Amino acid sequence: MNNHTKQFWDKYWSDLGEKQPSHVDAFQFGDDADWLASLVVEGKKTATCSGYVFYELEQEPLPQKGQYSIVINTKDEPVAIIELTDVFISPMNEVPIEFALAEGEGDYEYWWNAHKQFFSELLQPYHLPFEEDMLLVCERFKVIHTAE
């Protein structure tokens, strides 16, 4: 996390007058980080998903309800702080339509095609094929602060 993002995080908690959580991640969403970050700020994007296999391969813990993250744009500038409100695992071909739509990127067909392409590309370096029933870590979140 860069200095600007750390200051954004610290100032939010200081202004709130509450003790800040000890851990926060800063990340960019997907292939078009600026567009996706703008959807978060606008309230159109309230969900995201990632491949379960990547947590296994990278030996990373799964996200947990109540965790905070800082959404950054392609310039590594913070745009929002989000809090996870729900986390569940689902085969991609069983992800509820309302969840896919909560990702805010378009209709269900767009969601499916964009995620199929995205995960196919991410799986290539591991020499793993895309499978329609690959497990996804599905996260719902709420925006608690924006930079605007």
Side-chain angles (χ1 to χ4, degrees):
M1 176 182 329
N2 66 31
N3 225 13
H4 182 62
T5 302
K6 174 96 171 83
Q7 289 173 355
F8 176 75
W9 172 251
D10 291 344
K11 182 173 180 352
Y12 170 73
W13 291 101
S14 175
D15 289 351
L16 200 59
E18 293 185 18
K19 182 180 178 196
Q20 68 186 40
S22 59
H23 179 76
V24 66
D25 291 319
F27 72 94
Q28 294 177 355
F29 279 109
D31 281 341
D32 192 344
D34 291 335
W35 176 58
L36 296 172
S38 73
L39 293 176
V40 169
V41 171
E42 294 169 22
K44 293 179 181 176
K45 181 173 183 60
T46 59
T48 192
C49 64
S50 51
Y52 181 85
V53 66
F54 302 113
Y55 290 94
E56 290 181 320
L57 291 168
E58 298 168 14
Q59 298 180 345
E60 292 287 329
L62 293 176
Q64 301 291 316
K65 180 179 176 178
Q67 286 181 326
Y68 297 92
S69 296
I70 303 168
V71 178
I72 57 176
N73 62 21
T74 55
K75 297 176 186 173
D76 288 332
E77 299 167 333
V79 298
I81 298 172
I82 59 174
E83 179 182 2
L84 289 183
T85 58
D86 188 31
V87 180
F88 65 95
I89 297 171
S90 174
M92 184 166 160
N93 58 359
E94 294 179 24
V95 167
I97 292 173
E98 66 269 12
F99 179 87
L101 297 177
E103 289 209 36
E105 301 167 29
D107 63 17
Y108 183 79
E109 182 178 357
Y110 177 87
W111 178 88
W112 178 268
N113 292 333
H115 284 75
K116 179 179 178 181
Q117 179 180 343
F118 181 71
F119 290 130
S120 295
E121 291 170 6
L122 288 178
L123 289 164
Q124 284 180 355
Y126 298 101
H127 306 288
L128 295 172
F130 170 81
E131 295 178 5
E132 291 187 354
D133 64 349
M134 74 177 283
L135 292 179
L136 299 185
V137 178
C138 300
E139 305 170 47
R140 288 189 179 270
F141 57 85
K142 65 180 178 181
V143 175
I144 62 167
H145 182 63
T146 64
E148 298 175 355

